[in-house]
């Protein structure tokens, strides 16, 4: 049994063995992928293999995959390079989207965190030919899944494009970009067991995207800069492994539900966010009344259990969750929630330790309230 229970997969996932092997192999390939000699062609072959692997995970054509430095850059490229001047997002988007287009109109979600489709329809009713709708496929804090197909239907009927941040759903549930009709989609390697520092924007065939990083014209002119062949090789291997093991997330969902059953039994002082709608199989966002989220994270860490408060993507900053505020405006629960996100290496013993640590935390919190 490991000394620590790792329950923060939504922040970053453990490196897969397949990823490590692919990256080590790529380290021996010395060529620049843009060079036409043999060494360059060998490097190019690595990248094109990875492109096919990422495409296979996401239901896209290989030529649609544009490699980037991560999900953040991929979203920025979609939002700024699509040529649309008006952007609509949900109120619970990741900061990577919100910060890229601070002028975007934020559309409301319901109490479970699902985008209100009537609000989207109203926003586009004047015509959406100059509009982009950007909605996370799965939320990083609550795990809630958005009705992407319905969002696409409304957007396209009004002439708008659709971008989806699919960073969290990729590798956890089957996704098919073509079938869903999404125009632009962001994915990230380190959420699926690949290396940090590499991601991809998937661009619908026939849609032009303008580069926001100029230079040598790599990635068919859509993203300049010598490709990170080692990271990309690892990304591809992780994508292929994730596709093969998609069925294992059913086991993970059972473990997640075991933990949540404990939370439900705790009483009125505990809350599970978005539990009434479809969510990722690995994610629980729970709060304990009057116990600040960062305090809970520290207490769990002392018990050798790694969880997070908020999105864990803000350079260690602790602040009130805008996601939970959108679900329940003004509620103190936005400051008292933690996120538990488990994954393929999580065991029954890990859940036992997670439950024991959380129950101890809940008991101490309840005792302090008396």
């Amino acid at each position: 049994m490991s000394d620590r229970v790792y329950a923060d997969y939504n922040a970053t996932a453990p490196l897969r063995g397949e990823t490590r092997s692919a990256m080590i192999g790529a380290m021996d390939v010395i060529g620049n992928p843009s060079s036409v000699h043999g060494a360059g062609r060998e490097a190019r072959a690595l990248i094109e293999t990875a492109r096919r692997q990422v495409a296979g995970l996401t239901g896209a054509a290989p030529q649609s995959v544009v490699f980037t430095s991560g999900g953040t850059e991929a979203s920025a490229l979609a939002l700024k390079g699509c040529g649309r001047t008006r952007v609509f997002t949900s109120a619970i988007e990741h900061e990577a989207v919100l910060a890229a287009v601070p002028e975007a109109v934020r559309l409301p979600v319901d109490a479970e965190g699902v985008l209100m489709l009537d609000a989207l329809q109203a926003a586009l009713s004047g015509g959406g030919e100059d509009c982009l709708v950007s909605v996370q496929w799965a939320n990083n804090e609550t795990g809630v899944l958005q009705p992407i197909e319905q969002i696409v239907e409304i957007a396209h009927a009004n002439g708008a494009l659709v971008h989806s941040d699919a960073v969290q759903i990729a590798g956890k549930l089957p996704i098919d970009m073509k079938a869903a009709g999404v125009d632009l989609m962001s994915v990230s390697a380190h959420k699926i067991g690949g290396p940090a520092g590499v991601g991809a924007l998937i661009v619908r065939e026939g849609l032009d995207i303008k580069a926001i990083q100029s230079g040598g014209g790599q990635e068919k002119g859509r993203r300049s800069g010598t490709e990170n062949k080692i990271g990309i090789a690892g990304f591809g291997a992780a994508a292929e492994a994730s596709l093969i093991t998609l069925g294992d997330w059913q086991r993970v969902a059972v473990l997640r539900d075991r933990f949540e059953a404990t939370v439900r039994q705790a009483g009125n002082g505990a809350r599970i966010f978005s539990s009434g709608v479809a969510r990722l199989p690995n994610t629980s966002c729970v709060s304990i009344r009057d116990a600040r989220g960062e305090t809970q994270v520290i207490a769990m860490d002392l018990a050798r259990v790694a969880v997070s408060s908020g999105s864990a993507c803000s350079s260690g900053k602790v602040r009130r969750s805008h996601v939970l505020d959108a679900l329940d405006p003004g509620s103190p629960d936005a400051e008292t929630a933690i996120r538990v996100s488990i994954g393929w290496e999580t065991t029954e013993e890990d859940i036992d330790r997670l439950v024991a640590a959380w129950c101890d935390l809940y008991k101490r919190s309840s005792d302090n309230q008396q």
Side-chain angles (χ1 to χ4, degrees):
M1 182 173 64
S2 172
D3 180 54
R4 179 180 292 277
V5 175
Y6 186 73
D8 202 15
Y9 273 68
N10 287 11
T12 195
L15 198 72
R16 292 179 182 271
E18 297 91 339
T19 300
R20 183 178 289 106
S21 295
M23 293 176 70
I24 290 172
M27 289 177 186
D28 292 327
V29 178
I30 63 172
N32 185 314
S34 296
S35 298
V36 297
H37 49 58
R41 294 196 301 274
E42 187 178 0
R44 172 56 54 189
L46 279 178
I47 291 175
E48 296 311 317
T49 295
R51 204 183 304 278
R52 290 190 295 272
Q53 291 168 320
V54 172
L57 178 64
T58 57
Q63 61 268 26
S64 299
V65 177
V66 181
F67 287 116
T68 67
S69 65
T72 295
E73 185 194 341
S75 290
L77 177 56
L79 295 163
K80 297 179 180 180
C82 68
R84 300 297 175 102
T85 58
R86 299 170 62 208
V87 179
F88 298 91
T89 73
S90 80
I92 61 171
E93 293 303 300
H94 192 280
E95 290 289 352
V97 167
L98 299 180
V101 281
E103 72 279 8
V105 176
R106 301 188 188 185
L107 301 174
V109 296
D110 64 20
E112 296 283 9
V114 178
L115 180 69
M116 298 178 72
L117 297 179
D118 56 347
L120 174 62
Q121 179 63 65
L124 297 175
S125 60
E129 290 77 11
D130 61 344
C131 297
L132 172 73
V133 177
S134 181
V135 178
Q136 265 183 317
W137 208 315
N139 186 261
N140 51 300
E141 292 188 37
T142 65
V144 66
L145 302 176
Q146 298 295 342
I148 290 296
E149 290 83 359
Q150 292 173 270
I151 291 168
V152 168
E153 182 179 1
I154 292 171
H156 286 178
N158 289 279
L161 296 177
V162 176
H163 164 254
S164 186
D165 169 0
V167 165
Q168 289 296 340
I169 192 173
K172 296 186 180 82
L173 291 173
I175 56 173
D176 189 325
M177 178 180 175
K178 284 185 179 179
V182 172
D183 300 293
L184 299 152
M185 187 170 71
S186 305
V187 289
S188 179
H190 75 109
K191 307 295 189 179
I192 63 171
V198 60
L201 175 66
I202 320 291
V203 182
R204 172 178 55 79
E205 293 180 82
L207 178 65
D208 290 329
I209 196 83
K210 183 179 180 181
I212 60 174
Q213 179 170 306
S214 59
Q218 289 85 353
E219 294 299 289
K220 297 183 179 178
R222 299 175 293 189
R223 195 272 185 184
S224 289
T226 300
E227 296 94 340
N228 172 10
K229 65 175 182 284
I230 297 171
I232 288 171
F235 188 9
E240 185 173 83
S242 295
L243 183 61
I244 293 170
T245 58
L246 272 175
D248 187 53
W249 290 94
Q250 297 175 9
R251 177 191 68 86
V252 174
V254 172
L255 297 179
R256 190 274 309 273
D257 291 347
R258 271 189 55 200
F259 167 67
E260 291 191 352
T262 300
V263 175
R264 290 189 175 92
Q265 293 167 5
N268 293 331
R271 175 181 181 183
I272 304 172
F273 289 90
S274 302
S275 61
V277 294
R279 288 177 293 155
L280 292 173
N282 75 317
T283 305
S284 300
C285 184
V286 302
S287 67
I288 297 176
R289 189 169 299 160
D290 298 327
R292 291 185 64 83
E294 61 267 29
T295 302
Q296 296 179 59
V297 170
I298 292 170
M300 295 288 276
D301 192 51
L302 290 172
R304 309 297 292 169
V305 178
V307 298
S308 67
S309 175
S311 69
C313 290
S314 302
S315 300
K317 298 174 184 175
V318 175
R319 58 175 181 255
R320 186 179 178 90
S321 169
H322 74 280
V323 171
L324 303 185
D325 255 340
L327 272 62
D328 190 1
S331 170
D333 291 340
E335 296 180 349
T336 62
I338 61 171
R339 181 188 64 191
V340 175
S341 52
I342 58 178
W344 59 84
E345 290 187 353
T346 305
T347 65
E348 295 272 355
E349 293 76 15
D350 289 336
I351 296 300
D352 290 341
R353 292 176 61 192
L354 170 63
V355 166
W358 189 88
C359 286
D360 182 62
L361 174 62
Y362 180 81
K363 182 179 183 303
R364 284 186 279 126
S365 175
S366 298
D367 291 343
N368 290 337
Q369 295 173 31
Q370 295 177 356

